[in-house]
């Protein structure tokens, strides 16, 4: 059964909508700016949506509403499943609560937060989405580090392919700017000092960002029956795990290669059929080096490659979902998005430096996460576009 995407909601540091973010991206803009959201920590380049860190609940509500509006559906969507993932979930709420408890704050406000702690369990964001749209189908809340977004979309596609549902709301949201997250990445030496420069010789590390992307997935039969706009078709996906290290990639990219091969086989594609790769491209030394090796090993030199994290920052669990959204617009508008921040490439890849028109038909979106989580998804332009 063919699975298509008929609605997209997206918020990023580039803008409060899919269109605003996309226009900023193809113009070569970056939403990364200097911020100091926490007085105890020094200023850092961050991909904040506003002037202060976003609320996960509000972020999810906004993108779900936008996706539903985009696809033209009317609530409630009772016979619908929900797959909304996040790698951090409500960590910000837990950090605040911990600070208050250890500070000996016994105020009524703190007691109320403690009373409502069940609302901040990892799966509750997906549950809140089901309530928001009136969905009574299955609820899944995947957590697969930075591969979460593609995981969520793949799980949603499986629910449709197996005939369990005709429609699924799926994606990932991340409000990752918290003291512990910043301190943790800084302690690892992974944070950039000035900005995000994926695949660049002078790259410094990742820039944390916040954002969300949610999609309406439907069977092609249902979408065409209601004459919905179709952004593109999900051809296949690959999901593997390195079983190697808690936070480092396997140095030869064996798990990543396996995921991509799995994805291509399921999609009935060869590596030569891929016109564009939306790379994970975190701008860290190890990720970009291993990912470049993987791409060179599997694909012909002509395939176009870019990472959009120089524009949005690294949105962790949501990054793959943002990548899928940008890849779908690339297919629809026949525009390759640029690798913003790149000045001097370290690797011999066909990296897109400025947005350019191209007759692209099939794209591959990649995500690699802590713990060796590898995810790849193949997308095709809708057949009616020719």
């Amino acid at each position: 059964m063919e699975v298509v995407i008929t609605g997209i909601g997206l918020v990023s540091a580039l803008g409060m909508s899919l269109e605003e973010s996309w226009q900023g991206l193809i113009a070569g803009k970056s939403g990364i700016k200097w911020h100091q959201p926490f007085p105890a920590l020094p200023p850092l380049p961050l991909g904040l949506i506003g002037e202060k860190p976003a609320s996960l609940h509000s972020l999810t509500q906004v993108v779900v509403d936008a996706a539903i509006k985009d696809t033209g559906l009317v609530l409630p969507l009772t016979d619908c499943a929900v797959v909304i993932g996040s790698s951090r979930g409500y960590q910000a709420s837990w950090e605040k609560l911990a600070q208050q408890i250890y500070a000996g704050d016994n105020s009524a406000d703190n007691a109320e937060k403690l009373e409502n702690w069940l609302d901040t369990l990892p799966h509750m964001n997906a549950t809140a989405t089901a309530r928001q749209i009136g969905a009574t189908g299955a609820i899944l809340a995947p957590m697969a580090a930075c591969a979460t977004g593609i995981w969520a979309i793949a799980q949603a596609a499986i629910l449709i392919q197996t005939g369990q549902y005709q429609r699924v709301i799926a994606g990932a949201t991340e409000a990752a700017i918290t003291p512990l997250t910043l301190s943790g990445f800084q302690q690892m030496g992974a944070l950039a000092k000035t900005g995000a420069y994926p695949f660049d010789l002078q790259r410094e590390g990742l820039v944390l960002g916040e954002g969300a992307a949610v999609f309406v997935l439907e069977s092609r039969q249902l979408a065409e029956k209601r004459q919905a706009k179709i952004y593109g078709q999900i051809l296949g996906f690959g999901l593997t795990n390195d079983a190697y290290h808690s936070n480092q990639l396997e140095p030869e990219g064996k798990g990543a290669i396996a995921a991509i091969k799995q994805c291509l086989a399921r999609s009935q594609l060869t590596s030569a059929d891929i016109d564009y790769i939306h790379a994970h491209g975190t701008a860290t030394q190890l990720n970009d080096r291993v990912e470049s090796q993987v791409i060179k090993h599997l694909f012909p030199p002509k395939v176009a490659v870019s990472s959009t994290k120089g524009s949005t920052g690294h949105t962790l669990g949501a990054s793959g979902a943002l990548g899928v959204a940008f890849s779908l617009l690339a297919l629809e508008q026949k525009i390759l998005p640029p690798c913003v921040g790149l000045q001097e490439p370290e690797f011999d890849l066909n990296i897109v430096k400025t947005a350019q028109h191209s007759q692209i038909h099939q794209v591959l979106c990649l995500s690699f996460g802590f713990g060796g989580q590898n995810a790849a998804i193949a997308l095709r332009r809708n057949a009616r576009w020719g």
Side-chain angles (χ1 to χ4, degrees), residues 360-376:
I360 53 177
H361 299 275
Q362 283 95 212
V363 305
L364 191 71
C365 188
L366 304 177
S367 286
F368 308 113
F370 274 10
Q373 303 279 5
N374 308 295

Side-chain angles (χ1 to χ4, degrees), residues 111-330:
E112 184 181 348
K113 285 186 173 70
L114 187 59
E115 186 178 331
N116 296 330
W117 69 274
L118 282 171
D119 291 337
T120 63
L121 291 176
H123 66 284
M124 292 303 288
N125 200 37
T127 302
T129 296
R131 292 200 303 269
Q132 180 181 344
I133 65 174
T136 57
I139 298 174
L140 299 174
M143 297 182 79
C146 302
T148 299
I150 292 178
W151 255 57
I153 296 165
Q155 288 182 329
I158 290 170
L159 291 174
I160 295 174
Q161 289 168 344
T162 54
Q164 297 179 64
Y165 295 93
Q166 292 285 303
R167 180 181 293 130
V168 185
I169 306 299
T173 61
E174 204 76 88
I177 310 300
T178 75
L180 183 59
T181 305
L182 291 172
S183 300
F185 278 107
Q186 203 157 34
Q187 187 71 21
M188 289 172 59
L191 287 188
K193 295 179 175 64
T194 63
Y197 318 118
F199 302 112
D200 196 277
L201 189 63
Q202 304 298 325
R203 68 190 184 279
E204 305 170 344
L206 62 87
V207 169
L208 280 172
E210 53 189 16
V214 165
F215 306 84
V216 179
L217 279 66
E218 298 182 85
S219 67
R220 180 177 287 278
Q221 181 181 16
L222 179 60
E224 291 185 344
K225 182 180 179 181
R226 67 184 191 86
Q227 298 182 314
K229 172 185 175 178
I230 296 175
Y231 283 97
Q233 178 186 347
I234 296 173
L235 296 178
F237 42 83
L239 306 167
T240 67
N241 168 49
D242 291 349
Y244 173 75
H245 192 274
S246 62
N247 60 27
Q248 291 182 19
L249 293 173
E250 194 280 321
E252 296 180 9
K254 293 176 183 176
I257 289 170
I260 293 169
K261 285 184 174 180
Q262 187 185 95
C263 176
L264 292 173
R266 287 176 174 167
S267 305
Q268 297 184 319
L269 297 173
T270 68
S271 58
D273 294 324
I274 299 298
D275 303 305
Y276 166 64
I277 297 173
H278 185 285
H280 191 53
T282 62
T284 59
Q285 290 293 321
L286 183 61
N287 176 89
D288 288 11
R289 182 168 65 249
V290 173
E291 188 172 14
S292 297
Q293 291 171 358
V294 167
I295 292 171
K296 288 185 69 174
H297 176 74
L298 290 175
F299 295 92
K302 67 178 178 64
V303 66
V305 178
S306 68
S307 164
T308 56
K309 290 181 176 63
S311 280
T312 63
H314 189 355
T315 57
L316 303 182
S319 63
L322 266 67
V324 167
F326 291 143
S327 295
L328 288 166
L329 286 191

